[in-house]
Amino acid sequence: MKESLMDILCDPLDKSDLELEVDERDDDEILEGRLIGTETGEVYPIEDGIPNLLPPDMRDD
Amino acid sequence: MKESLMDILCDPLDKSDLELEVDERDDDEILEGRLIGTETGEVYPIEDGIPNLLPPDMRDD
Amino acid sequence: MSVREEFDTWAADGRDKGMEERHWHTAKHVLARMPVEAGETVLDLGTGSGYALRALRDTKNAGRAYGLDGSPEMARNAREYTDDPNVGFVVGDFDELPFADDSVDHAFSMEAFYYAADPEHTLEELARVVRPGGTFYCAVNYYEENVHSHEWQENISVEMTRWNRSEYRDAFRNAGFYVAEQDNVPDLDIEIPPAAEFPTDSWQTREAMVERYRTLGTLLTVGVVR
Amino acid sequence: MSVREEFDTWAADGRDKGMEERHWHTAKHVLARMPVEAGETVLDLGTGSGYALRALRDTKNAGRAYGLDGSPEMARNAREYTDDPNVGFVVGDFDELPFADDSVDHAFSMEAFYYAADPEHTLEELARVVRPGGTFYCAVNYYEENVHSHEWQENISVEMTRWNRSEYRDAFRNAGFYVAEQDNVPDLDIEIPPAAEFPTDSWQTREAMVERYRTLGTLLTVGVVR
Ligand SMILES: Nc1ncnc2c1ncn2[C@@H]1O[C@H](CSCC[C@H](N)C(=O)O)[C@@H](O)[C@H]1O
Ligand SMILES: Nc1ncnc2c1ncn2[C@@H]1O[C@H](CSCC[C@H](N)C(=O)O)[C@@H](O)[C@H]1O
């Protein structure tokens, strides 16, 4: 994902902001990392450049 | 024209209400008469069942 | 010549019926898309023979269906083509609509809008007359991208507005509409002769005729009142 | 089985590409109608192979184009089919959209909406995420009037919602949309064999196949956010 995606993403649970933590990036994309709900504390993984924002009960880690 | 058309018609010049004067009608239609602008005093003819609400300068009596 | 004079002549010639037949090829698709609910009030701007009103009554069970036309002879003819008591005709001009604010649920116009003397103002009038959330379905064959229509002005005394697609969208937005859709609706019904028959009286090449009818067709712009 | 499990399997089978090819027949007409201006942000709900995003970038010069899908494998494949830096993919569910209020100009969905566990809520979510005046173009082949689709539920583990035309309109209105259009978009591209070849593996009669594709086609409902 490009960092600009952060402009429109939010926590699916309560629509609050997300914080970005990057583990790996290439020239213009974040490849691995996580998005953390600033209110819910929920952790959403970024894998192979794609953020997974399924509600936690629908996700399969 | 049916009398129910009065619900939505207005004076084209200033959108104020119209008053209906009937000269001839059949079972459910007004065939001849006139519509008079309650504010403008403008007279719009009803001929052969059709009201002519052209602005006066476009009408040809 | 005025709108009244020009189109009174057309009506007297029977051109109202000729237009109905040709315009129906694309107008039927446009009308089918309209979100008219049973009982709603519809308005047809530049109604000609009034076919759109009859169709909206038959297919969508529209409540009241009114046709406005600047030509008394067109309106007189249209009135004779139906005895549906819920269809009515009014002579009036696009620029000064004789309808109350929010009095109409949906409006339609086929091959007529661009005759308005002040089309921006006509759109404002429509946005006034149609209720919030109601639609204006504006269908035209005369528009900038349809190069095959450019010469039409030569044969008619009323001045015509030739906007392109984006000018239509901008004008709708400026007048108080959201633009919900824009489309080229193809005429799939007109018969296009085999290549060997070209040039015909009207068309130099088969490609030009295909482009005019099958590709460009009728430009539809749909506005929703804010 | 969950949406994720069901559609991950489809993606692994390559069914994303098969759907793109078949759905394109009508989706291309739907996409062409969208009033997307250059630079605007678009969202594709249940994006599959992501073809709609690529098309909106190419044909309308959309600014950013995002595809949401509940299947990580679908999103992974879709990401591989494009290297356009303005196209991005997000894994997420229709019922809890991970997008900020008014963050999207226009949304599209083809053959996906009816998989939503709570479709009324999905519409509310869309009305929240799309800005006022933006559109949601919702295209489905599975709907009540398309009797030929009724049996599809038998082959899929995810529960499907089968609304009719007026249920779609009502649900859109209840969720905060104006309904701007509803249409059956015909599939004119699929080849229908001559009568002598029926019954085929899939179709008892030619009439049924014609009805399914040429008449019923894809049901499109267009909402504009109030
Ligand atoms: N300024 C104006 N005000 C009202 N009607 C007008 C007008 N300019 C043109 N018209 C009417 O618009 C019509 C255009 S011809 C199209 C008629 C019909 N909609 C059809 O599809 O066949 C004519 O009937 C003409 O009288
Ligand atoms: N509840 C849900 N949330 C998110 N995506 C879902 C979903 N239910 C189904 N989907 C996704 O919707 C898609 C339906 S298949 C259609 C794909 C594509 N729009 C096309 O036209 O070909 C699948 O990719 C599936 O994973």
Side-chain angles (χ1 to χ4, degrees):
Chain A
M1 60 173 273
K2 296 233 297 181
E3 202 154 336
S4 57
L5 179 54
M6 292 301 294
D7 298 353
I8 80 160
L9 284 186
C10 70
D11 191 324
L13 294 181
D14 69 347
K15 319 305 174 190
S16 62
D17 286 344
L18 295 163
E19 206 156 291
L20 171 66
E21 290 184 7
V22 180
D23 289 338
E24 190 190 333
R25 63 162 84 225
D26 68 7
D27 283 353
D28 42 32
E29 287 214 277
I30 297 145
L31 296 177
E32 305 288 333
R34 68 205 67 75
L35 296 164
I36 301 165
T38 51
E39 299 290 327
T40 64
E42 202 57 56
V43 180
Y44 303 95
I46 303 170
E47 290 166 343
D48 300 323
I50 302 172
N52 185 332
L53 287 146
L54 283 174
D57 62 328
M58 302 182 78
R59 201 168 62 217
D60 194 30
D61 303 81
Chain B
M1 61 172 273
K2 297 233 298 179
E3 201 154 337
S4 56
L5 179 54
M6 292 303 293
D7 299 352
I8 80 161
L9 284 186
C10 71
D11 191 324
L13 294 181
D14 69 347
K15 319 306 175 191
S16 63
D17 287 344
L18 295 164
E19 206 158 291
L20 171 66
E21 288 183 10
V22 180
D23 289 337
E24 189 190 334
R25 62 161 85 224
D26 70 5
D27 282 352
D28 43 32
E29 286 212 276
I30 297 144
L31 297 177
E32 305 288 332
R34 68 206 68 78
L35 296 163
I36 302 164
T38 51
E39 300 289 327
T40 63
E42 201 59 57
V43 180
Y44 302 95
I46 303 170
E47 289 166 342
D48 299 324
I50 302 172
N52 184 335
L53 287 146
L54 283 174
D57 61 329
M58 302 182 77
R59 200 169 62 216
D60 196 28
D61 300 81
Chain C
M1 238 200 295
S2 69
V3 163
R4 192 181 45 69
E5 288 168 303
E6 174 86 40
F7 292 101
D8 273 356
T9 316
W10 292 31
D13 286 357
R15 274 194 262 180
D16 53 346
K17 292 203 160 177
M19 289 194 292
E20 166 171 345
E21 202 183 302
R22 285 180 286 118
H23 296 167
W24 181 247
H25 295 181
T26 55
K28 66 183 173 187
H29 299 296
V30 172
L31 291 162
R33 296 181 190 185
M34 291 182 74
V36 174
E37 300 294 337
E40 286 191 320
T41 298
V42 295
L43 172 64
D44 181 15
L45 229 69
T47 193
S49 74
Y51 66 87
L53 305 167
R54 289 180 260 126
L56 289 172
R57 285 275 299 151
D58 288 351
T59 62
K60 310 247 177 199
N61 202 10
R64 306 203 220 157
Y66 296 120
L68 177 105
D69 208 288
S71 153
E73 292 305 322
M74 284 281 183
R76 197 187 306 266
N77 282 0
R79 188 167 180 272
E80 302 221 320
Y81 302 149
T82 178
D83 51 17
D84 183 337
N86 284 341
V87 172
F89 296 94
V90 176
V91 174
D93 190 76
F94 292 167
D95 269 350
E96 298 299 344
L97 297 184
F99 303 109
D101 297 6
D102 300 341
S103 60
V104 165
D105 293 297
H106 301 281
F108 167 88
S109 181
M110 174 71 186
E111 276 294 85
F113 174 77
Y114 50 72
Y115 294 120
D118 183 351
E120 285 92 353
H121 182 63
T122 297
L123 286 173
E124 285 166 10
E125 277 286 87
L126 278 163
R128 175 183 69 76
V129 161
V130 175
R131 64 157 167 90
T135 61
F136 174 42
Y137 271 63
C138 180
V140 295
N141 294 338
Y142 182 75
Y143 57 98
E144 184 58 27
E145 287 84 355
N146 182 6
V147 293
H148 311 289
S149 72
H150 289 191
E151 68 196 29
W152 297 357
Q153 177 69 80
E154 290 162 29
N155 304 311
I156 180 163
S157 63
V158 178
E159 215 192 309
M160 297 156 79
T161 296
R162 199 173 75 211
W163 285 340
N164 64 28
R165 293 172 60 105
S166 87
E167 286 171 321
Y168 268 95
R169 297 198 303 277
D170 289 347
F172 270 57
R173 291 186 180 118
N174 287 337
F177 289 94
Y178 295 127
V179 176
E181 172 183 8
Q182 195 170 54
D183 196 23
N184 290 79
V185 180
D187 178 340
L188 302 171
D189 294 346
I190 197 166
E191 218 184 298
I192 301 188
E197 293 182 27
F198 287 84
T200 68
D201 287 352
S202 318
W203 295 97
Q204 277 295 315
T205 66
R206 188 168 195 279
E207 290 67 45
M209 190 173 178
V210 166
E211 180 183 72
R212 158 68 186 92
Y213 290 104
R214 304 286 200 254
T215 308
L216 292 166
T218 292
L219 178 65
L220 171 65
T221 307
V222 177
V224 173
V225 177
R226 276 204 294 262
Chain D
M1 234 197 306
S2 69
V3 163
R4 190 180 47 68
E5 288 168 304
E6 173 86 40
F7 292 101
D8 274 356
T9 316
W10 292 31
D13 286 357
R15 275 194 262 178
D16 52 345
K17 293 202 158 176
M19 289 194 292
E20 165 171 345
E21 202 183 303
R22 284 180 287 118
H23 295 168
W24 182 248
H25 296 180
T26 55
K28 66 183 174 188
H29 299 296
V30 172
L31 291 161
R33 297 181 190 185
M34 291 182 72
V36 174
E37 300 293 337
E40 286 192 319
T41 297
V42 296
L43 172 64
D44 181 14
L45 229 67
T47 192
S49 74
Y51 65 86
L53 304 168
R54 289 180 259 125
L56 289 172
R57 285 276 298 152
D58 288 351
T59 62
K60 310 248 177 196
N61 203 10
R64 305 202 221 158
Y66 296 119
L68 178 104
D69 208 286
S71 153
E73 293 304 322
M74 284 281 183
R76 197 187 306 267
N77 283 359
R79 188 168 180 271
E80 301 220 321
Y81 302 148
T82 178
D83 52 17
D84 183 337
N86 285 340
V87 172
F89 296 94
V90 175
V91 173
D93 190 76
F94 292 167
D95 269 350
E96 298 298 345
L97 297 184
F99 302 110
D101 297 6
D102 301 340
S103 60
V104 165
D105 293 297
H106 301 280
F108 167 88
S109 182
M110 173 72 187
E111 276 294 85
F113 174 78
Y114 49 73
Y115 294 120
D118 183 350
E120 285 92 353
H121 182 63
T122 297
L123 287 173
E124 284 167 10
E125 277 285 87
L126 278 163
R128 175 183 70 75
V129 162
V130 175
R131 62 156 168 93
T135 61
F136 174 41
Y137 271 65
C138 180
V140 296
N141 294 338
Y142 181 75
Y143 56 98
E144 185 59 27
E145 287 83 356
N146 181 6
V147 292
H148 311 288
S149 72
H150 288 190
E151 68 195 29
W152 296 357
Q153 177 70 81
E154 290 163 29
N155 303 311
I156 181 163
S157 63
V158 177
E159 216 192 306
M160 297 156 79
T161 295
R162 200 173 73 211
W163 285 340
N164 64 28
R165 292 172 61 103
S166 87
E167 285 172 319
Y168 268 96
R169 297 199 303 276
D170 289 348
F172 270 58
R173 291 188 179 118
N174 287 336
F177 289 94
Y178 295 127
V179 176
E181 169 183 13
Q182 194 169 54
D183 195 24
N184 289 79
V185 180
D187 179 341
L188 301 171
D189 294 345
I190 197 166
E191 218 185 296
I192 301 188
E197 292 183 28
F198 288 83
T200 67
D201 288 351
S202 320
W203 296 96
Q204 278 294 315
T205 67
R206 189 168 194 279
E207 290 66 47
M209 190 172 178
V210 166
E211 180 183 70
R212 158 69 186 91
Y213 291 104
R214 304 283 200 254
T215 308
L216 292 165
T218 292
L219 178 65
L220 171 66
T221 308
V222 177
V224 173
V225 177
R226 277 204 292 262

